[in-house]
Amino acid sequence: MPASPPTVVLVHGAFADAAGWLGVIDELQRDGIPVLAVANPLRGLASDAAYVASVTEQIEGPVVLVGHSYGGALITVAGTAENVVALVYIAAFVPEEGESLSELRDRFALAPLVGHLKETTYPAGGARPDATEVTIQPQAFPEVFAADVPAAVTKVLAAAQRPLATAAFEERATAAAWRTKPSWALVAGTDRVINPDVERFGAERAGATVVELDGASHAVLVSRPKAVADLILDAARATS
């Protein structure tokens, strides 16, 4: 690794926050990698990607963008920023330009998540009607989101989960940065939030270097932080 390695920007997905990256951050910092975990607003594909791009463009030097879950869609759009040198997808959606997450998801059998979502509303602002957001039903959260994480930890994760605006599933990606930037992808073999076939399809379409972890849940960044960090390091080293 050179004297000034790229900055790794971590983008969490739905039903989570930046704290989910703690183990990964620790591993990367041990290797001398500068890291920033972004607070993803989870309000919509276009606005969230614009926020991630804004953060990325204000970082001096090259950036490796890493997205988990829904965060994969965001780095696909935000990754067109000039200083982004690599994309890393962790149990993530990898959409094509002009494709919505619903369209990508519906190419394959639906994951168990779909039957365990709880809908609530939030103020959309101005005179607009309230918008809809979703979380995972707490009793289903351990099995659906984090089956390979200790029970005591999943209880905390379930209580701290952040909702995703349902509009995010219908907005279309306005760019596909993987067409011009090298990419890496980790497929969680027993993911129950995103069908692993969706992850494989998107990664292969993007020409990504793919690693698959058998038995890994959607919360692979929590359960196997070293494996996640190792893939990110591969991307950082290959593009340095």
Side-chain angles (χ1 to χ4, degrees), residues 169-186:
F169 287 99
E170 306 307 326
E171 294 182 42
R172 298 181 183 278
T174 57
W178 48 260
R179 287 195 168 276
T180 57
K181 309 288 176 77
S183 59
W184 284 254
L186 186 152

Side-chain angles (χ1 to χ4, degrees), residues 12-231:
H12 68 80
F15 322 123
D17 62 21
W21 293 108
L22 288 177
V24 176
I25 293 169
D26 180 58
E27 294 287 344
L28 293 173
Q29 289 180 339
R30 289 172 185 268
D31 279 282
I33 304 296
V35 187
L36 174 64
V38 174
N40 182 353
L42 301 176
R43 296 295 82 175
L45 179 52
S47 61
D48 294 344
Y51 176 74
V52 172
S54 174
V55 172
T56 300
E57 290 166 348
Q58 295 178 70
I59 295 173
E60 186 175 347
V63 168
V64 173
L65 265 183
V66 183
H68 173 240
S69 189
Y70 165 64
L74 303 188
I75 70 169
T76 296
V77 177
T80 57
E82 188 174 339
N83 61 333
V84 173
V85 295
L87 307 168
V88 184
Y89 296 93
I90 307 298
F93 287 110
V94 188
E96 171 64 283
E97 182 177 356
E99 185 176 53
S100 71
L101 297 188
S102 290
E103 289 171 336
L104 176 54
R105 178 195 63 190
D106 293 346
R107 286 174 178 266
F108 302 92
L110 295 179
L113 165 75
V114 177
H116 298 285
L117 291 173
K118 177 184 177 182
E119 290 191 357
T120 52
T121 59
Y122 66 95
R128 292 178 295 171
D130 288 351
T132 305
E133 60 187 9
V134 288
T135 53
I136 302 173
Q137 296 166 350
Q139 67 273 21
F141 188 94
E143 180 182 355
V144 171
F145 193 91
D148 58 349
V149 175
V153 177
T154 62
K155 288 178 66 176
V156 174
L157 294 176
Q161 63 177 306
R162 291 181 54 217
L164 174 68
T166 56
F169 287 99
E170 306 307 326
E171 294 182 42
R172 298 181 183 278
T174 57
W178 48 260
R179 287 195 168 276
T180 57
K181 309 288 176 77
S183 59
W184 284 254
L186 186 152
V187 175
T190 55
D191 200 327
R192 296 183 180 125
V193 172
I194 302 174
N195 184 333
D197 287 337
V198 174
E199 298 171 17
R200 293 185 193 103
F201 172 79
E204 290 169 5
R205 180 172 61 180
T209 299
V210 181
V211 171
E212 181 157 347
L213 295 184
D214 294 335
S217 75
H218 193 64
V220 62
L221 67 169
V222 178
S223 62
R224 305 199 192 179
K226 188 176 188 310
V228 172
D230 285 347
L231 186 64

